[in-house]
Amino acid sequence: MARYHVSATVNGDEVDFLCEPEQTLLDVLRDELHLTGTKEGCASGDCGACSVMLDGRLVCSCLVMGAEAGDCSIETIEGMAEGERLHPLQQKFLDYAALQCGYCTPGLLVAAKALLERSPDPTEIETRYWLAGNLCRCTGYDKIIRAVLDTAAEMRGE
Amino acid sequence: MSAAEDLGYREKPHELKWVGTNVARTDGVDKVTGRARFGADLIMPGMLFGAVLRSPHAHARINGIDTSKAEAVKGVKAVITRKDFEDQPSEMIQVGELTVNIRDVIRNVLAREKAMYDGHAVAAVAATSASIARKALKLIDVDYEVLPHVIDVVEAMKPDAPLLNEDQFTDGVDPKPDRPSNVAKRLEIKLGDVEKGFAEADVVIEREYKTRPVHQGYIEPHACVASYTEDGQGEVWCSTPGHFLVRAITSRLCGIEVSKLKVTASEIGGGFGGKNIVYLEPLALALSRKCGRPVKIAMHRNEVFRATGPTSGSHMKVKIGARHDGKITAGWAELMFQAGAFPGSPVFPAAMCAYACYDLENVLVIGYDVVANRPKTTAYRAPGAQISAFAVESAMDEMARELGIDPVDLRLMNAAKEGTKAAYGPTFGPVGQVETLQAIKNHPNYNVPLGPNQGRGVASGFWFNIGGETSVTMNVNDDGTIALTVGNPDLSGTRTSISVMAAEELGIEPERIRPAVGDTTSLGFNFISAGSRTTFAVGKATVEVARVVIDELRARAAATWNIPVEAVVWEDGHARPASSNAGDFEPLSLEDIARDAKKTGGPIAGHVETNVSGAGPSFATEAVDIEVDPETGHIKILSFTAAQDAGKAIQPNLVEGQYQGAAVQGIGWALNEEYIYDEQGRMENPGFLDYRMPVASDLPMIDAVIVEVPNPNHPYGVRGIGETSIVPVMAAVANALDDATGVRVQELPLSPPRVLKALNEKNGNRLG
Ligand code: FES
Ligand code: FES
């Protein structure tokens, strides 16, 4: 099958990959670039496990074709911590036990970070609706919501 | 008696340092950075991609399979069908809380004579890319002869129903029936004399209930990588709660010796019982054997819904009798459970648990295990108990209303307690049912005033806890740190809870213990992570192994000091002389002893292989406040309070997380989740869009109340806590609906159309 040559930026690094027309960005990240932190839960845009940032926009990478990512800047969970320093959301998820199996966690962290970037002081309801596209079957969301709200407070310096 | 032999609960002589605190998860950083490797995350050199062809028919004889066109596709390296597996004899094996027949297991892994349900695996392909594998699947020609099918449990029980298995005669009836039937088994749980009990009753409530199959809904689809080499050695990497079970079944189905198969458990992205069985691993291994290259297979969500899980749908009848003063005189139930395509629904635990929350003299529960053309059911969090609880706890609520007694008080008056003889056999030791009821009664949520269209429901639940085969190894490293190897995959932080118990025993900081889940070559056999057993059973074995290691550390100190070992005690991470009579020696720390281990006898380690017993059951009581929209029938959850007995919470935040997660799974089951089939018996909603699980915006915070009535048979009092909190939920919500509207709905889910219809019927408007 003919494959396209695509150049993009992933977590600040320039990358090149070959991709089949039917491969999604999620397939490319996982199978071609071996960035397996981004997860597949449904491949249909319904679970958010594959959440990444594409040119500053939160997307389900399973709904973006790999070939569409050409010249785009992509941020994944692998780029969230800075060196040894966890992002405050990552630290709060640990402090609050906001993960059990951890499979939904990368997608939730990426989505929560996108929330805090546009809304530094979200309400509980706003947080719940923003994260409504990210399924978690383990936690019942309670500790996730608390972790996000507390991170927001901490990042505001409260 | 050595310290290791006494593993009962002790009031601790000193303050617990680590047990009961929240300690950083040892797998935490990997899981928040994307490093943790789950089933589909392993990439091996030369790896191929596998895909599975699935039946589009609910029931069809397979007259032939032609794979030649698929094999001819460039990039296709192997195709397998039923011909690639030898058949298995009928033999029961234990899988989690359930037993399965290995003859059925091989048929479920890959269809033989017939496809038994929509989604049943029929063939598999390995190719150099996922797209080639998918393309090849389309070229496999299967000659299906479509047969009549049956989905509903009551339909399946009828004498003229389409038969799934012509050789199946109902077990448990005497004399043996002369005709085959879809009813695989009839069973009874009996205590006292229900007829006598009903004769003593002033009030009798008799009702029927229905539930639909629901899926465990873990977010990680099943996935594995298998590799088979020319010397006959196999390796499997997979997402499983029990890699020893995967080894047992995969080696058996593939006809290789157990020693030739090494299975490594990946991190597991949720299971809730749904991964307690094997689907993909034998297929991947057989494909790898055929082409000599590693093969990865990961299910699509559509396959997860159509071919794995779910739990049973059911039809239930319940009859409860009570005196005016609130004393329950008899409890009766008839439970008809869909097993899916092969026998083995959780009707037995459902029957055992049905009345286990109560101290009753007269109980009779009859269960039927019924096959139907649906995926073979697997365990789902407290398998079966949630289903029978929906029925019994709904009827209990009606009884409370009828008697004019508060529902918590009615349950308190009849609560199971120490000394209660349960209908399923045992006499309870110390249990926490009364305490969970009191916790709910005293909780602020239970006393908030309700507004219009709002209602409050309460229900209780019971689930067992199991021990089982467990192997643990503890190695003392030369710097005094500890490598702890357990054989149970960690779904929720169990690794950390287990090392917390080891830290408490050894008297060192938990950070100095590195727990790992070993592969099948590194330990003796381990029963799977199921039945809420991991923290209880592996924890108990770990306490035992820590005490073995402590004895060795004492012996090394004794040798160093040249005094008898009995004169050395272990305290706070140090060996000390037991008294001044023993001599005057500076205490030796774990580091000191480890550093000099070479001089005192070599490496220090301990290992324990045991069949853990002494599991303590766990009760829960939950209360929910809801608001019903009379226009749409939509139910909004206003508050939810889950009180469950943990025995002892090793890490309270992880225990709360279990209660909260279980509660929300139950809320999904109560409000939305169900398998929907079309007339051809095909699942109509095999995706997260149409199979609607709870999302963050559906929910309030979930209040978890940890009740602690120590289990006398665990050194820290631990009970397994992973499951019970799902048990009461569906009934609690249905009870709240009645409270809010006066409408009693006896069928799940309580979805808007069903609720609206019930509201309209009550109001005399039959148009809804
Ligand atoms: S995998 Fe992309 S939304 Fe589920
Ligand atoms: S932690 Fe398991 S799905 Fe969210």
Side-chain angles (χ1 to χ4, degrees), chain A residues 20 22 30 34 37 39-42 77 90 94 99-101 103 109 128 132 135 137-138 140-143 146, chain B residues 25 31-32 34 40-41 131 134 215-217 221 268 301 653 656-658 660-661 673 694 696 699-700 702:
Chain A
E20 297 175 6
E22 64 184 62
R30 293 181 52 82
H34 296 177
K39 303 298 179 203
E40 176 176 321
C42 68
I77 185 66
Q90 292 173 310
L94 295 177
L99 58 144
Q100 286 178 30
C101 78
Y103 195 78
L109 285 167
R128 287 187 178 276
L135 290 178
R137 190 60 154 174
C138 297
Y141 306 102
D142 181 300
K143 294 185 189 303
R146 288 179 202 275
Chain B
R25 286 257 303 254
K31 285 184 173 163
V32 296
D41 295 342
S131 62
R134 282 196 297 268
H215 198 274
Q216 294 79 353
I268 168 170
R301 177 59 51 185
N653 63 5
E656 286 168 9
Q658 289 297 310
Q660 293 167 335
E673 295 179 33
L699 298 160
I702 306 293

Side-chain angles (χ1 to χ4, degrees), chain A residues 3-23:
Chain A
R3 306 203 334 150
Y4 295 106
H5 174 240
V6 180
S7 302
T9 307
V10 177
N11 300 327
D13 294 335
E14 285 174 19
V15 299
D16 285 275
F17 54 85
L18 291 175
C19 95
E20 297 175 6
E22 64 184 62
Q23 272 181 306

Side-chain angles (χ1 to χ4, degrees), chain A residues 26 39-51 60-63 133, chain B residues 688:
Chain A
L26 175 61
K39 303 298 179 203
E40 176 176 321
C42 68
S44 57
D46 300 313
C47 78
C50 64
S51 300
C60 293
S61 60
C62 70
L63 295 182
Chain B
F688 284 141

